[in-house]
Amino acid sequence: MKFGKVDKPDHIDFTLPPDHPDTAAVLQKHQQTKPLNIYVGCAKWNRQDLKKFYPRGTKDELAYYSSQFNSIELNATFYRMFDAKQIQNWKDKTPDDFKFFPKINQSISHMRRLINVEQLTEIYCDNIVHFEEKLGMVFLQLHNNFGYKNFDRLATFIGNFPKAVPLATEVRHQEWFGDAEIAKAYYQLLEQHQVSNILVDTAGRRDLLHMRLTTPTAFVRYVGANHPDSEYKRLDDWVDRLGKWVDLGLQNIYFFVHQNLEKESPTLSAYFIKKINERLGTQLKAPTVPAGTLF
């Protein structure tokens, strides 16, 4: 994941910013109405990307991955429109409690930029729903240059999106969060349609770490900087913040670990799971990490 990569991560202040003032209000509306759900995973299951994670002789990478994690942030669906048969095949390979969090295809978000995408969106959703009970939440990631001038386009897309399919959005243009009035309009749109606001923690774009929840779901895309001195402290800070949000009424934690170079994502995930279990008293299974890994 090259987005937000920097050459000198040791020069970055990784401190989590304070909560947006309206986050507590959103959470308190939903306090104690549903049990807490926690899903932690990587962005992909490819052996080539997750170095040394798979035991020698592993024949089915998804089957092994899903024996170690309870979820996957499925980036493959961004690059290809997979048919129902393939979706069903992936579903059948995974345990009953496993969840998929697929990204919306780039033909919708980047190529057509949400213009005249009704048919494509229908095709995408008609296939994705074959995950059935294993569908966690789909997410829309927009191009860096998709700014506020396209607000009506985004509002139409969200308004028309099937309500039966849970949705989260990630906007990247600086003005979505840099201008208070634009940010307010964006947050209100998401709240109105019960769409989750994705939080992106990456070194080069600290402005995306807005700490504004629009639903009782924290969908966090954490991007490690391949800088061991900072990674574990960053994860500790997330455990602390998520614990505070749970106390306020948070119902869902969706936490996906990336790296600029995917080497230690399983190890970082295992550390995060260990710490979140200690903080919340949960018993989420941690993946087996390569021998000799320390944290």
Side-chain angles (χ1 to χ4, degrees), residues 201-269:
D201 184 349
T202 187
R205 287 296 306 275
R206 306 309 289 167
D207 57 315
L208 298 184
L209 203 52
H210 45 77
M211 310 308 275
R212 172 58 156 94
L213 301 183
T214 53
T215 69
T217 294
F219 192 133
V220 182
R221 305 184 72 229
Y222 172 91
V223 187
N226 299 102
H227 184 247
D229 291 345
S230 65
E231 305 286 26
Y232 297 118
K233 174 61 168 63
R234 290 173 64 189
L235 292 170
D236 286 342
D237 290 346
W238 268 113
V239 168
D240 181 64
R241 185 63 58 92
L242 291 167
K244 291 177 179 177
W245 286 348
V246 168
D247 293 340
L248 290 173
L250 188 69
Q251 295 174 0
N252 304 298
I253 296 173
Y254 304 149
F255 197 94
F256 297 102
V257 178
H258 303 246
Q259 282 191 299
N260 297 134
L261 298 174
E262 297 284 4
K263 294 182 178 180
E264 306 295 338
S265 291
T267 301
L268 296 177
S269 299

Side-chain angles (χ1 to χ4, degrees), residues 121-135:
T121 303
E122 182 178 357
I123 293 170
Y124 174 85
C125 290
D126 284 349
N127 290 325
I128 286 297
V129 295
H130 283 82
F131 280 128
E132 296 178 314
E133 75 282 357
K134 295 183 182 180
L135 177 61

